[in-house]
Amino acid sequence: MIQPQKTSMRQQDPKVRIHNFDEVPLGYSEEEAVREAERCLQCKNAPCIAGCPVSIDIPRFIEQVKNRQFAEAIATIKESNSLPAVCGRVCPQESQCQGVCTLGKRFEPVEIGKLERFCADWEADHEPCCPEIHEKTGYRVAVIGAGPAGLTAAGDLRKLGYDVTIFELFHVAGGVLMYGIPEFRLPKDIVQREISALGAMGVKIEVNKVVGQIYTIADLLEKGYDAVFIGTGAGLPRFLGVPGENLNGVYSANEFLTRTNLMRAFLFPEYDTPIKVGKRVITVGGGNVAMDSARTALRLGAEESIIVYRRSEQELPARAEEVEHAKEEGINFQLLTNPVRFIEKDGAIAGAECIRMELGEPDESGRRRPIPIPGSEFIIEADTVVIAVGNGPHPLVPRTTPGLELTRRGNIVADPETEQTSKKGVFAGGDIVTGAATVIQAMGAGKRAAAAIDRYLQEKKVS
Amino acid sequence: MYKILSKRTLGPQIREYAIEAPEIARVAKSGQFIVLRLHERGERVPLTIVDTDQAGGAVTIVVQEVGKSTREMGDHFDVGDSFLDFVGPLGIPSEIENYGTVICIGGGLGIAPLYPITRDLKKAGNTVIGIIGARNKDLLFYVEQMGAVCDELIVMTDDGSAGEKGFVSDPLREILSSGRKIDRVWAIGPGIMMKVACEVTREFAVPTVVSLNSIMIDGTGMCGGCRVEVGDEAKFACVDGPEFDGHKVNFDLLMSRQRFYHEEERCAIDRYLESEGEKA
């Protein structure tokens, strides 16, 4: 008899958690994990595997959890995924593995993500599983950017026996996992734990190396790297382009989150980097980054944290769980609303003049286009504004790599199957190719690129 | 780790450091900058590169000890010690070519980043007039070095304790009014100095380059904290600059944004000085 309801995960009380940066969901106990694993139907056709961008053998690891073979379960996951503790926490499972779960047709789908998280956390408390490393190939691969795409490509290439060096511009590896996603959603020691596992496998990471500035791609190929993978992400913050956006107190989400997450500004003055958050904070946007920013603002002391989003709740691009958590925490959602200008008082931000929107015909993204309602302007007072409307491609590698084909928006053009770019031996994947997307999609691209780089170098060997 | 190879005091709370960073020394060009972090709890501090020594693998920076991090650097980081992080070179190099006759203006700490640009403009064949200034003679530095790379060097202090009494914009106006043909001006220093210099050169329609030191975190285009308005467009000082057409820069916005963390900076330095006092 299958339990129709999922095993829910204990989480911090919203009233308590809005005053701390500790993780919100608290994890499954072994008993809870086994109980949830027992709900899996072990479908022969396993739609969940096809729904997973890195093709984890989901039924097998869940069966292992059910049998309390936790070490085997994490080993199964790690065959396909180098960052399970991360993915178990931040993947949009509802639109991937769990979205296609057979059980979900009648009942609630199996909590695949939470089980993945359980396995990764179980491993942290036990003997780490070290994946098998193939014999040395003699080839060297340079990976640009230690974010989800780069870490995945590096892990897979290392397993295949390549000598891999990652070049990272920040002072720590992790990319968006470190600077972007907040501590309460993805604790930084967990990210570092997964990165050290790659280090233990022999992946080399050079931090403080800004490729495009200190070396170009051409320099790396000349230095003796046989192939290069570019995973530099979507790091360039977009702004709205409305008046008053450069006032003091208007942050890009990247700056707001980087100060808090990477630079630990929530611990200022113990840590040297400050952040300034007023009593009323507006976050503009509706994606995960907007939810992260609005929830971070609360934790930094805002009394009211307001999300302003130009479409309706249905179109919110954020994960369902993030929206739910934001609501539990009392975030004020001003939907179908868009700022038209920011208002100044004494050189700083005092509020946003907004206009109400209605939805018209679908646009090129397939979502209904928001249209301003004339005369509906009103003012939301605020002393801090965070702009979370997306990021463009990080400019430094494209700018310094002649012959690299780019899209009109400045993203790198890469073959969707192989991630091969217009330059021989140079591959690219993740947000630098697709524009801002999810951690797991970038990881999928890293995986495809690793396989393609392997084929490319093996062919090179033969010829 | 990035070792301090030399440390020299240039004036009250102005120090010059040479840092071991051979890969950066090999490729850095004048006008570019680095970002450094002292220790695990440190902030990322952007500083313009003043000189490089390729043979010795060193990058020179000049630091004015105005905030907590820079004070701490001066007090606790000596030759043989290391900074935790040192990243660069960042930003777009200065456009060095033979323009004809150029004026290079440096105010206060701005003299440091101005020096390599002046040197390279001279090397490129320009006739170079240097104008450097500070509040008083103690705060002046690099007078000899600048003299060595300028055809003429004018020194100004606010109080007349060295060189002429007045601001750097005074001789600038004099030269331009004299009708002498000036092809380009570089002006680096405090926001207000660059603003006034640009007002003068605008009158005479002389193209003027300024170097903007806005607040930034990563220095590679990711935070947008350093954004400045240049000709009504938002630009990032880190990846679109740090040098811009001074006639198009909104200096009032720059200065306002530079003051944004004033209270926090005050709090950090007070707390630091208090803890130093307790140690002593």
Side-chain angles (χ1 to χ4, degrees):
Chain A
M1 170 68 192
I2 299 285
Q3 280 294 323
Q5 276 96 32
K6 64 186 181 188
T7 311
S8 55
M9 188 176 271
R10 288 158 296 126
Q11 57 178 47
Q12 269 202 81
D13 183 327
K15 284 195 214 64
V16 176
R17 74 188 191 224
I18 59 168
H19 301 296
N20 68 50
F21 275 85
D22 299 340
E23 197 174 6
V24 169
L26 300 172
Y28 277 155
S29 65
E30 289 186 7
E31 279 60 43
E32 287 166 331
V34 170
R35 195 190 318 147
E36 185 60 18
E38 282 167 351
R39 297 179 65 234
C40 177
L41 299 174
Q42 293 292 322
C43 313
K44 282 275 173 297
N45 61 344
C48 49
I49 301 180
C52 173
V54 296
S55 313
I56 295 174
D57 189 342
I58 293 167
R60 180 150 61 98
F61 102 75
I62 292 184
E63 181 73 12
Q64 288 161 330
V65 172
K66 188 176 115 184
N67 298 334
R68 293 185 162 269
Q69 298 167 304
F70 303 129
E72 287 79 359
I74 188 64
T76 300
I77 296 171
K78 282 200 160 178
E79 283 169 17
S80 321
N81 184 348
S82 310
L83 308 171
V86 171
C87 291
R89 287 169 166 86
V90 304
C91 266
Q93 290 96 2
E94 72 267 20
S95 54
Q96 297 174 357
C97 53
Q98 293 175 200
V100 292
C101 173
T102 311
L103 193 60
K105 289 185 184 145
R106 286 189 56 203
F107 305 124
E108 288 182 311
V110 177
E111 289 275 30
I112 300 167
K114 292 190 168 71
L115 287 171
E116 180 183 26
R117 171 188 160 159
F118 165 78
C119 294
D121 291 355
W122 183 91
E123 184 198 19
D125 299 333
H126 296 78
E127 196 67 11
C129 108
C130 201
E132 188 195 338
I133 310 283
H134 291 203
E135 206 178 310
K136 260 197 185 152
T137 61
Y139 287 112
R140 294 166 73 203
V141 182
V143 171
I144 323 296
L151 291 171
T152 303
D156 278 20
L157 285 163
R158 183 69 203 120
K159 280 189 245 175
L160 292 167
Y162 292 94
D163 181 343
V164 184
T165 305
I166 310 182
F167 297 93
E168 164 59 37
L169 65 79
F170 268 126
H171 50 264
V172 290
V176 74
L177 308 175
M178 288 303 290
Y179 73 76
I181 303 176
E183 185 78 25
F184 56 81
R185 196 146 80 78
L186 181 63
K188 300 306 145 214
D189 54 354
I190 288 173
V191 178
Q192 289 310 311
R193 192 175 78 206
E194 301 218 306
I195 292 170
S196 345
L198 289 173
M201 281 163 55
V203 172
K204 283 171 271 189
I205 303 181
E206 290 203 29
V207 296
N208 294 329
K209 294 290 155 59
V210 187
V211 174
Q213 296 285 120
I214 191 162
Y215 341 103
T216 60
I217 299 291
D219 292 337
L220 290 171
L221 291 169
E222 217 166 277
K223 269 165 154 297
Y225 288 96
D226 301 288
V228 174
F229 174 73
I230 306 168
T232 48
L236 191 75
R238 289 217 178 90
F239 289 90
L240 298 164
V242 303
E245 204 166 21
N246 298 325
L247 286 167
N248 276 336
V250 182
Y251 286 96
S252 74
N254 261 10
E255 180 180 3
F256 192 73
L257 294 172
T258 301
R259 281 181 182 272
T260 312
N261 302 329
L262 183 72
M263 305 309 296
R264 318 300 269 180
F266 62 96
L267 299 170
F268 178 85
E270 289 298 319
Y271 279 69
D272 290 340
T273 304
I275 193 162
K276 240 182 156 85
V277 176
K279 289 195 163 57
R280 286 171 61 85
V281 179
I282 294 175
T283 299
V284 184
N288 288 325
V289 174
M291 301 303 136
D292 286 345
S293 301
R295 297 171 67 199
T296 295
L298 277 185
R299 286 157 174 81
L300 290 169
E303 286 166 14
E304 177 142 40
S305 183
I306 306 150
I307 286 206
V308 171
Y309 177 59
R310 62 194 181 132
R311 303 184 204 245
S312 73
E313 176 153 3
Q314 236 185 334
E315 289 84 20
L316 280 171
R319 286 172 80 213
E321 185 177 322
E322 305 313 323
V323 177
E324 196 183 306
H325 283 159
K327 284 183 176 170
E328 288 167 7
E329 291 172 11
I331 304 288
N332 172 352
F333 282 81
Q334 291 292 317
L335 302 168
L336 290 165
T337 304
N338 207 28
V340 291
R341 70 183 177 101
F342 295 106
I343 299 158
E344 172 183 351
K345 199 182 157 198
D346 305 326
I349 183 86
E353 182 179 320
C354 296
I355 190 162
R356 295 290 187 195
M357 313 289 276
E358 59 190 348
L359 294 178
E361 293 303 307
D363 61 14
E364 64 272 21
S365 74
R367 297 175 300 176
R368 293 177 64 194
R369 185 189 302 275
I371 302 163
I373 303 173
S376 67
E377 291 87 348
F378 69 107
I379 286 170
I380 305 177
E381 284 178 26
D383 27 28
T384 303
V385 169
V386 182
I387 309 289
V389 295
N391 290 298
H394 195 268
L396 295 180
V397 169
R399 192 201 265 180
T400 55
T401 313
L404 190 64
E405 193 188 339
L406 305 176
T407 66
R408 199 168 42 83
R409 294 187 134 191
N411 291 100
I412 298 174
V413 175
D415 182 308
E417 296 294 315
T418 63
E419 310 295 338
Q420 165 75 52
T421 69
S422 59
K423 278 182 84 78
K424 193 166 171 256
V426 179
F427 300 74
D431 287 3
I432 189 66
V433 170
T434 57
T438 60
V439 167
I440 190 69
Q441 279 170 291
M443 291 176 62
K447 236 184 151 47
R448 284 191 299 278
I453 289 171
D454 180 43
R455 281 195 302 275
Y456 166 74
L457 291 175
Q458 291 313 314
E459 278 166 26
K460 197 170 156 179
K461 198 178 193 173
V462 174
S463 60
Chain B
M1 296 291 269
Y2 304 86
K3 198 156 87 180
I4 300 170
L5 301 174
S6 74
K7 177 179 181 180
R8 190 160 76 97
T9 301
L10 302 179
Q13 303 195 322
I14 303 176
R15 274 184 256 256
E16 178 197 74
Y17 298 80
I19 309 302
E20 185 175 60
E23 287 191 315
I24 301 175
R26 205 172 308 136
V27 296
K29 295 200 170 64
S30 52
Q32 292 188 298
F33 64 100
I34 56 92
V35 166
L36 66 79
R37 210 162 66 108
L38 297 181
H39 48 66
E40 269 310 325
R41 295 182 169 211
E43 59 187 333
R44 293 173 63 95
V45 183
L47 291 163
T48 312
I49 296 170
V50 172
D51 207 351
T52 53
D53 167 8
Q54 294 200 17
V59 173
T60 303
I61 51 172
V62 172
V63 181
Q64 187 161 28
E65 293 158 13
V66 287
K68 187 254 177 185
S69 298
T70 47
R71 276 300 288 263
E72 193 179 356
M73 199 190 301
D75 293 346
H76 296 289
F77 287 77
D78 293 312
V79 174
D81 295 338
S82 292
F83 298 141
L84 184 58
D85 301 297
F86 198 79
V87 194
L90 301 172
I92 299 172
S94 307
E95 278 178 44
I96 303 291
E97 51 185 273
N98 191 347
Y99 297 99
T101 303
V102 296
I103 300 180
C104 293
I105 308 168
L109 194 72
I111 300 168
L114 183 75
Y115 165 70
I117 298 167
T118 311
R119 179 198 59 203
D120 291 355
L121 285 167
K122 176 71 191 158
K123 252 190 246 167
N126 292 279
T127 299
V128 181
I129 305 168
I131 305 175
I132 58 173
R135 282 210 309 282
N136 59 53
K137 75 171 190 328
D138 293 338
L139 295 167
L140 261 183
F141 60 93
Y142 280 5
V143 179
E144 263 178 50
Q145 264 142 295
M146 280 296 288
V149 297
C150 290
D151 294 280
E152 297 163 44
L153 179 68
I154 302 164
V155 175
M156 305 296 293
T157 48
D158 296 5
D159 64 357
S161 55
E164 298 289 313
K165 183 172 193 288
F167 301 116
V168 289
S169 48
D170 302 339
L172 173 66
R173 177 175 288 283
E174 234 168 81
I175 296 168
L176 294 178
S177 307
S178 74
R180 188 167 170 187
K181 187 171 177 294
I182 300 299
D183 299 289
R184 190 164 285 238
V185 171
W186 253 264
I188 307 181
I192 189 67
M193 182 221 96
M194 294 191 284
K195 182 182 176 187
V196 172
C198 288
E199 278 166 6
V200 174
T201 59
R202 185 184 287 119
E203 276 178 49
F204 297 89
V206 180
T208 303
V209 180
V210 294
S211 178
L212 306 184
N213 56 338
S214 32
I215 294 174
M216 55 180 74
I217 305 176
D218 58 293
T220 70
M222 293 179 64
C223 76
C226 67
R227 64 195 187 276
V228 287
E229 280 174 17
V230 181
D232 293 331
E233 244 187 295
K235 295 277 186 189
F236 290 1
C238 62
V239 290
D240 300 321
E243 294 189 352
F244 293 100
D245 174 351
H247 293 160
K248 292 187 176 163
V249 170
N250 180 344
F251 286 103
D252 295 332
L253 179 76
L254 173 78
M255 290 184 272
S256 156
R257 289 186 64 85
Q258 283 171 334
R259 284 191 299 268
F260 183 51
Y261 290 102
H262 188 76
E263 282 165 46
E264 287 75 13
E265 284 160 9
R266 200 64 256 167
C267 150
I269 187 86
D270 287 349
R271 190 168 167 276
Y272 170 75
L273 292 176
E274 202 174 296
S275 75
E276 287 296 291
E278 277 166 21
K279 272 189 231 163

Short mmCIF file of all heavy atoms in Angstrom, two decimals, chain B residues 20 25 111 129 146 175 178 187 202 205 229 236 240 261:
data_model
loop_
_atom_site.label_atom_id
_atom_site.label_comp_id
_atom_site.label_asym_id
_atom_site.label_seq_id
_atom_site.Cartn_x
_atom_site.Cartn_y
_atom_site.Cartn_z
N GLU B 20 54.73 40.43 -4.43
CA GLU B 20 55.16 39.35 -5.31
C GLU B 20 53.94 38.78 -6.05
O GLU B 20 53.07 38.17 -5.43
CB GLU B 20 55.82 38.26 -4.47
CG GLU B 20 56.41 37.14 -5.30
CD GLU B 20 57.16 36.15 -4.41
OE1 GLU B 20 56.53 35.56 -3.51
OE2 GLU B 20 58.36 36.01 -4.61
N ALA B 25 52.54 40.83 -12.90
CA ALA B 25 53.60 41.75 -13.33
C ALA B 25 53.91 41.58 -14.81
O ALA B 25 54.19 42.54 -15.52
CB ALA B 25 54.86 41.52 -12.50
N ILE B 111 48.25 60.85 -7.72
CA ILE B 111 49.58 60.92 -8.33
C ILE B 111 50.11 59.51 -8.60
O ILE B 111 50.80 59.28 -9.58
CB ILE B 111 50.56 61.68 -7.39
CG1 ILE B 111 50.06 63.12 -7.14
CG2 ILE B 111 51.98 61.71 -7.98
CD1 ILE B 111 50.81 63.84 -6.01
N ILE B 129 53.46 67.52 -19.96
CA ILE B 129 53.46 68.50 -18.88
C ILE B 129 52.77 67.85 -17.69
O ILE B 129 51.63 67.40 -17.80
CB ILE B 129 52.68 69.78 -19.29
CG1 ILE B 129 53.25 70.35 -20.59
CG2 ILE B 129 52.72 70.81 -18.16
CD1 ILE B 129 52.36 71.41 -21.21
N MET B 146 58.05 61.75 -11.04
CA MET B 146 57.24 62.44 -12.04
C MET B 146 58.13 63.39 -12.84
O MET B 146 58.01 63.48 -14.07
CB MET B 146 56.10 63.21 -11.38
CG MET B 146 54.90 62.35 -11.00
SD MET B 146 54.07 61.58 -12.43
CE MET B 146 53.27 63.02 -13.16
N ILE B 175 47.73 77.34 -18.68
CA ILE B 175 48.34 76.78 -19.89
C ILE B 175 47.35 76.83 -21.05
O ILE B 175 47.67 77.23 -22.16
CB ILE B 175 48.82 75.33 -19.64
CG1 ILE B 175 49.92 75.31 -18.60
CG2 ILE B 175 49.30 74.69 -20.94
CD1 ILE B 175 50.26 73.92 -18.07
N SER B 178 46.79 80.25 -22.39
CA SER B 178 47.95 80.83 -23.09
C SER B 178 47.90 80.53 -24.58
O SER B 178 48.70 81.08 -25.35
CB SER B 178 49.25 80.27 -22.50
OG SER B 178 49.42 78.93 -22.94
N ALA B 187 43.49 63.31 -16.02
CA ALA B 187 43.30 63.89 -14.70
C ALA B 187 42.87 62.79 -13.74
O ALA B 187 41.84 62.14 -13.94
CB ALA B 187 42.24 64.99 -14.75
N ARG B 202 36.87 71.40 -20.71
CA ARG B 202 35.69 71.44 -21.58
C ARG B 202 35.60 72.80 -22.28
O ARG B 202 35.32 72.88 -23.48
CB ARG B 202 34.42 71.16 -20.78
CG ARG B 202 33.18 71.09 -21.68
CD ARG B 202 31.89 70.90 -20.92
NE ARG B 202 31.77 69.54 -20.39
CZ ARG B 202 31.67 69.24 -19.10
NH1 ARG B 202 31.71 70.20 -18.19
NH2 ARG B 202 31.56 68.00 -18.72
N ALA B 205 37.78 72.65 -25.03
CA ALA B 205 37.53 71.48 -25.88
C ALA B 205 38.76 70.58 -26.02
O ALA B 205 39.09 70.12 -27.11
CB ALA B 205 37.02 71.93 -27.26
N GLU B 229 27.60 57.09 -14.26
CA GLU B 229 26.92 57.57 -15.46
C GLU B 229 27.91 58.29 -16.35
O GLU B 229 28.57 59.23 -15.92
CB GLU B 229 25.77 58.51 -15.08
CG GLU B 229 24.52 57.75 -14.65
CD GLU B 229 23.41 58.65 -14.14
OE1 GLU B 229 23.46 59.88 -14.40
OE2 GLU B 229 22.51 58.12 -13.46
N PHE B 236 30.15 50.32 -16.04
CA PHE B 236 30.82 49.72 -14.90
C PHE B 236 32.28 50.16 -14.93
O PHE B 236 33.00 49.88 -15.90
CB PHE B 236 30.74 48.20 -14.97
CG PHE B 236 29.36 47.64 -14.72
CD1 PHE B 236 28.27 48.47 -14.49
CD2 PHE B 236 29.15 46.27 -14.71
CE1 PHE B 236 27.01 47.95 -14.26
CE2 PHE B 236 27.89 45.74 -14.49
CZ PHE B 236 26.81 46.58 -14.27
N ASP B 240 34.24 48.45 -17.99
CA ASP B 240 34.15 49.43 -19.07
C ASP B 240 35.23 50.48 -18.90
O ASP B 240 35.50 51.27 -19.80
CB ASP B 240 32.78 50.12 -19.07
CG ASP B 240 31.64 49.14 -19.25
OD1 ASP B 240 31.80 48.19 -20.04
OD2 ASP B 240 30.59 49.30 -18.60
N TYR B 261 28.81 54.31 2.07
CA TYR B 261 29.09 53.51 3.27
C TYR B 261 29.83 54.30 4.33
O TYR B 261 30.48 53.72 5.20
CB TYR B 261 29.89 52.25 2.89
CG TYR B 261 29.07 51.27 2.11
CD1 TYR B 261 29.20 51.17 0.73
CD2 TYR B 261 28.13 50.48 2.75
CE1 TYR B 261 28.41 50.29 0.01
CE2 TYR B 261 27.34 49.59 2.03
CZ TYR B 261 27.49 49.50 0.67
OH TYR B 261 26.72 48.62 -0.03
#
